[in-house]
Structure formats: C-alpha cells, structure tokens
Amino acid sequence: MARKEKIFFVYPPSPVMNREDRCQQPTGETIIIPPLPPIDMMNLSAIAKNKGFDTKFHDYSLKSENVYDFLRDLREYKPDFLVINVASTTLEGDLSILKEAGDLLQNTLVIVKGAIFNFSSYSIMQKYPEIDVALRSEIEEAFEEVISYKDFKNIKGITYQINDRIISTPDRELKNTLDNLPIPDRDLIDNNFYIRPDTKKPQTIIRVAKGCPNHCFFCLATPLNGSVVRYRSVELVIEEIKQCIEKYNIKDFIFWSDIFNKDNGYVQRLSRRIIDEGLNINFSANTRADTLDFETLKLMKKAGCNLLSIGIESGNNEVLQKMGKGITKAQVEEAVQMIKKAGIQIYAYYVLGLPWETKETIEETYNFAVKLNTDYASFYTATALMGTKFYDYAEKNRLGIINYEKPYFFPSVKSYELSAQEIFEYNKKFNKNYYLRPRYILKMACKINSLLKFQIYYDTFLKLIKKSDI
Ligand code: SF4
C-alpha cells in the first residue's frame, strides 16, 4: 500500500491565544476567555483527509511545551507538509521554530497562514526563506490546490518562494456563500479539552458567517472577510450541529461570525430549525447594538442562546464616532435592555486607549460599563494589528513604536493624552474592579444553582483577588 502523505498542523510554542485571524485574543492572561478549538486547522484537515492525507495537530502553547518538543515531533512524524498558524502579535516567536528546525524540514513543504500574510507576506518571507507558501485570505481552496501539487503560479491567493524569488499570485475573489467550507475535522483534536468556562462542558465553534459592513478603526473583520456578510446555509449548520451531538456528544456551541445578527431573517430561520428539530443545544453568538430586534432575540433564547457578546467599546459618544463604530451610547443601552429582557446573558467588550482616549473618556467608559452591569465584561487595550486603520494611523501620527509585548492588555501605542503605562494601569484596575463590585457579586450569587456553579464562581473570585491582570 502506498504511504499516505502527512500534514502536521501546528500552533507554535508562543503565548496562548486564539489564532482565528480576526480574533487573536490571548487566552493565558484572562480568566474568562477560554481557549477555542483551532477551527481553521480543523477545516484544512477535513480538506486534506478527503484527499487521502494523514493529519495531525499540536498546540505547543496550550501545553506549555517548547521548541524542543516541536523538533521531537517533527523528527518522529516526518511530515510532507507543515502548516503553522501565525498570529500577528507573535510573528517572530512563531516563525523562529523554522530556524531551529533547519535540516529537519528538508523534505517538508512549509505553509503558513495568518491575517498578517494578507498585508505583508513579501517582507516576512524575505526574512524567513524556510517558508515555501503563505496562504492569504479565503485559504481553504488555495490550500487544497497547494497540497494537490498544482503549479503554484496558477494558484490564486498565495505568496510562494522558489529559487530565491518571492512571488504573489492575484487575490482570490471572496465567495458569495460559505457553503464551500467543509465540516471541520473534529477528530483532529481532543474535544473535551475545549470547555465552556461557566459549565465545564465541552464546547465547539461552528462557523456561521463571515464579513461585516462596518469599518471599525481597530478591527480586521472587513479587511479580511469583506464588507458583505456571507452566511453558511441553515442546512449545513444544522448538519454540523447534529454531527457534533451524535459523534462527539457536544451540545454547547459558539456560532462564529463577524456579526451574527446582521440578517435577522437568517437568524430566525436557523433558530426555528434548532427548535423544530428538538436539538436541545446551548449556543453563544455575537451582535451589534444596532442590529437587534426583540422577536429574534426571543426566538434565539428559545433555540438555546445563552450568551450574546457585544462590542460596546467606549462610554463616550465622540470616541465611538471617531473609531467608526456607528453606534451611540443610547443605542447600546436600548440593546442591552432588550437582551436582558429576552433572558440572554451579555458579554460586553470595551477597548481602552485609542488615540483620542483621555482620562475623562476612559473613566466614562468604566462608569458606563458599571451602569450596564452586563454578566461579563472584558476591557482590552487597543491593539494596532497590521491591516487595520489603527495600524496605519499609529504609524503616521507618531503614537510610538507599535508594541506587541502584551497585546490586548498593554496598549500597542499611547493615546494623544495618556501614556501606554497609564492606559495599562486603567485596564488592570477596570478588569479587576468590575468583577469585585458588591452589586456584581450579588448578581452572580443569585445565579448559583448547583455545587459545580458555586465552585466555578468561587475559583474565579479567588483568581481575581490574586491576579492583577485578567
Ligand atoms: S462591527 Fe464588529 S466585526 Fe464589524 S468592523 Fe466593527 S468590530 Fe469588527
């Protein structure tokens, strides 16, 4: 029997983070953002397995392993293809493993993916001649063609190195639908490892939509996924949910999208199918303050929606307007009331330290968060990822050298008025104080209905008291 060709998917030994291209949040630094399944790697693995490849995945960061563990696995597995998921903020560390691997990669084609290759593949590959191919956006079809040994010059959406030359092929057009995506290969990972922090049950991601019509200053969604929201058909989402229940006993889902509630007609159809089929699942999704209606929310709740995350970003209307968020505080208040009334929990996100941030606006944001009193809240510091308007603005307006030492927790640059250190101190204080308020503690205490829940909340509380950054 012919030897199966092998593909090794890798999250490198860098800080732990979710490496889905638009969402590159560190998870090691937080108490409430759990590590998420490597959905892109699972998609690529499904494609490869359909073509007869053997595949393997390893997350060295999550297991606190180092480059020597990676080299050991490389020696043992001897892959024909190595695929590294690179995060913009840990680029150098992620790719340094290639230098260490040296001759071990002689017979391996090295493929990299990550948002940053959409904006800077040429200069990165100049520095890392070990990379053979960089996949740019809409990577699945390009990947399939690469592993099929199609002539690189005829594969759209890649940058490749050959004979000391670096060549970029034209971009791949964005598809109108996501129905070309396979059902991710969940045999690639240990599904029990990825759990919902508030129940300790396994949870997985289901890709539902991509794209966002908004152009927020700090966000990669639109530059990467386009300004039209493309949904996966309800049929395919239901098929994937059923597979997760039947094959893996997973009943908790994150419906992954840039903006789930853009088309409430779609959301209603999906919710109705979940209800009609009696799937009995829980799911979370994301939304914006200006795209909600109460009828849809009620249906979502009935279908099992337990949490909606919402980017509130700032408690100051002028800052909201300057970051291009397209919402106002009044809209946020109305949306939060509506979600609460529907009985769905809320996870609010705030961004601190954009260029126009002042002592007054940053405090206004915290006070607004306290007023809204959502079930969860994360205060992130502004992170200028390459490809965002923020990145270009920070470079042009002398806001300091872009710093990724502690992304999302230490700002990439200063604001016009506040130093990076000052913003960092606010961030630490807000993330801690928000959860230690008596009103908040009382609210969570009322939700305790089991010993397990008590244990989870108690452990979280202790971590908060001990930790200065969360
Ligand atoms: S609305 Fe959300 S997904 Fe869309 S650009 Fe703004 S932050 Fe990104």
Side-chain angles (χ1 to χ4, degrees):
M1 204 169 79
R3 170 187 170 276
K4 268 189 173 185
E5 286 196 281
K6 295 187 276 189
I7 305 185
F8 190 20
F9 296 100
V10 163
Y11 273 25
S14 290
V16 189
M17 67 174 67
N18 294 323
R19 288 169 179 264
E20 206 275 340
D21 294 344
R22 140 150 118 94
C23 240
Q24 304 183 30
Q25 294 156 308
T27 52
E29 293 295 326
T30 68
I31 56 161
I32 42 179
I33 303 284
L36 299 177
I39 190 78
D40 285 340
M41 305 275 96
M42 287 148 68
N43 275 339
L44 299 185
S45 177
I47 291 167
K49 278 190 178 164
N50 278 340
K51 297 186 76 67
F53 284 85
D54 184 69
T55 65
K56 175 179 160 130
F57 168 73
H58 200 89
D59 183 338
Y60 293 90
S61 55
L62 207 52
K63 301 201 158 101
S64 302
E65 290 173 314
N66 60 33
V67 66
Y68 300 107
D69 299 299
F70 165 68
L71 298 180
R72 174 204 61 213
D73 293 344
L74 212 49
R75 242 177 245 116
E76 278 171 18
Y77 190 55
K78 297 186 178 55
D80 300 282
F81 297 87
L82 173 69
V83 182
I84 306 178
N85 196 345
V86 177
S88 305
T89 54
T90 54
L91 175 80
E92 302 287 339
D94 291 355
L95 294 178
S96 65
I97 60 173
L98 294 175
K99 303 272 180 216
E100 300 283 341
D103 285 352
L104 287 175
L105 293 173
Q106 240 171 13
N107 299 315
T108 303
L109 192 100
V110 176
I111 303 174
V112 290
K113 73 152 283 276
I116 197 158
F117 296 105
N118 286 272
F119 312 109
S120 179
S121 53
Y122 188 90
S123 60
I124 298 169
M125 287 167 86
Q126 267 185 323
K127 203 166 164 192
Y128 293 95
E130 299 84 0
I131 300 172
D132 293 300
V133 179
L135 304 171
R136 305 200 309 268
S137 64
E138 303 290 287
I139 61 173
E140 290 79 11
E141 286 180 359
F143 172 75
E144 184 168 1
E145 291 173 14
V146 169
I147 61 171
S148 304
Y149 297 104
K150 188 170 165 183
D151 193 341
F152 288 164
K153 70 173 182 301
N154 297 325
I155 303 177
K156 280 186 172 176
I158 64 169
T159 303
Y160 62 96
Q161 312 214 42
I162 197 158
N163 303 330
D164 294 330
R165 286 180 64 212
I166 299 171
I167 300 159
S168 283
T169 62
D171 284 338
R172 216 159 250 276
E173 299 80 30
L174 300 185
K175 294 207 166 315
N176 296 330
T177 159
L178 300 185
D179 285 358
N180 62 316
L181 294 179
I183 291 190
D185 170 22
R186 292 190 166 80
D187 290 335
L188 189 71
I189 58 166
D190 174 0
N191 291 285
N192 290 318
F193 195 80
Y194 300 91
I195 55 163
R196 232 180 92 174
D198 60 334
T199 60
K200 303 286 180 206
K201 290 189 178 156
Q203 79 172 349
T204 193
I205 294 178
I206 293 198
R207 168 64 82 181
V208 173
K210 267 187 186 184
C212 178
N214 304 290
H215 295 85
C216 300
F217 186 70
F218 54 83
C219 184
L220 272 176
T222 317
L224 284 180
N225 297 330
S227 53
V228 174
V229 184
R230 298 165 286 146
Y231 284 94
R232 228 165 129 220
S233 67
V234 168
E235 285 305 319
L236 284 180
V237 175
I238 295 288
E239 188 187 329
E240 190 172 333
I241 293 173
K242 284 183 177 169
Q243 192 197 73
C244 290
I245 297 172
E246 285 157 20
K247 195 168 170 196
Y248 304 101
N249 197 25
I250 301 175
K251 293 181 181 156
D252 289 81
F253 300 93
I254 300 172
F255 287 168
W256 203 245
S257 54
D258 295 319
I259 171 171
F260 181 63
N261 276 81
K262 178 64 189 164
D263 177 354
N264 282 323
Y266 173 91
V267 174
Q268 290 194 7
R269 283 196 300 283
L270 178 60
S271 300
R272 274 201 199 95
R273 275 295 297 277
I274 293 169
I275 298 164
D276 292 348
E277 301 240 6
L279 295 180
N280 197 18
I281 60 166
N282 298 301
F283 69 89
S284 61
N286 61 6
T287 191
R288 267 174 62 93
D290 58 353
T291 58
L292 292 172
D293 72 65
F294 191 56
E295 286 315 304
T296 308
L297 284 171
K298 278 198 295 188
L299 208 54
M300 287 169 73
K301 170 72 183 171
K302 201 169 167 201
C305 181
N306 61 288
L307 179 89
L308 268 178
S309 50
I310 178 165
I312 293 173
E313 323 301 4
S314 175
N316 178 279
N317 275 331
E318 205 182 319
V319 174
L320 280 171
Q321 187 249 324
K322 283 185 170 153
M323 73 173 81
K325 188 74 193 178
I327 54 171
T328 61
K329 284 173 73 177
Q331 282 173 306
V332 169
E333 288 193 73
E334 197 187 328
V336 165
Q337 287 317 320
M338 223 194 301
I339 303 169
K340 283 185 181 176
K341 196 170 156 204
I344 297 172
Q345 298 187 95
I346 305 173
Y347 191 151
Y349 288 87
Y350 300 90
V351 59
L352 308 179
L354 287 173
W356 319 279
E357 195 79 275
T358 64
K359 189 170 177 302
E360 288 71 34
T361 61
I362 209 167
E363 279 173 359
E364 226 180 303
T365 295
Y366 183 70
N367 293 336
F368 191 48
V370 166
K371 182 178 178 201
L372 296 174
N373 200 31
T374 55
D375 303 86
Y376 307 97
S378 276
F379 300 87
Y380 283 143
T381 54
T383 300
L385 296 176
M386 187 179 277
T388 60
K389 291 181 190 168
F390 183 21
Y391 183 93
D392 297 338
Y393 186 97
E395 283 211 319
K396 274 185 208 136
N397 292 278
R398 298 199 197 135
L399 293 173
I401 294 166
I402 293 175
N403 169 3
Y404 290 142
E405 221 165 279
K406 206 170 164 100
Y408 294 80
F409 292 90
F410 194 92
S412 307
V413 289
K414 67 187 188 67
S415 78
Y416 285 116
E417 192 175 307
L418 298 173
S419 71
Q421 186 64 33
E422 282 172 309
I423 298 163
F424 175 58
E425 295 302 332
Y426 276 114
N427 179 262
K428 278 198 293 187
K429 190 169 81 175
F430 292 172
N431 273 314
K432 190 164 183 166
N433 290 358
Y434 184 85
Y435 290 102
L436 294 180
R437 290 172 299 128
R439 185 175 165 218
Y440 181 80
I441 293 169
L442 190 66
K443 177 184 167 111
M444 295 322 264
C446 291
K447 290 188 183 179
I448 294 175
N449 54 7
S450 67
L451 194 60
L452 175 69
K453 226 167 202 166
F454 173 77
Q455 192 65 51
I456 292 167
Y457 286 178
Y458 183 68
D459 290 348
T460 309
F461 183 71
L462 287 186
K463 270 190 211 156
L464 273 166
I465 297 205
K466 284 186 203 146
K467 226 171 159 12
S468 53
D469 323 338
I470 56 172

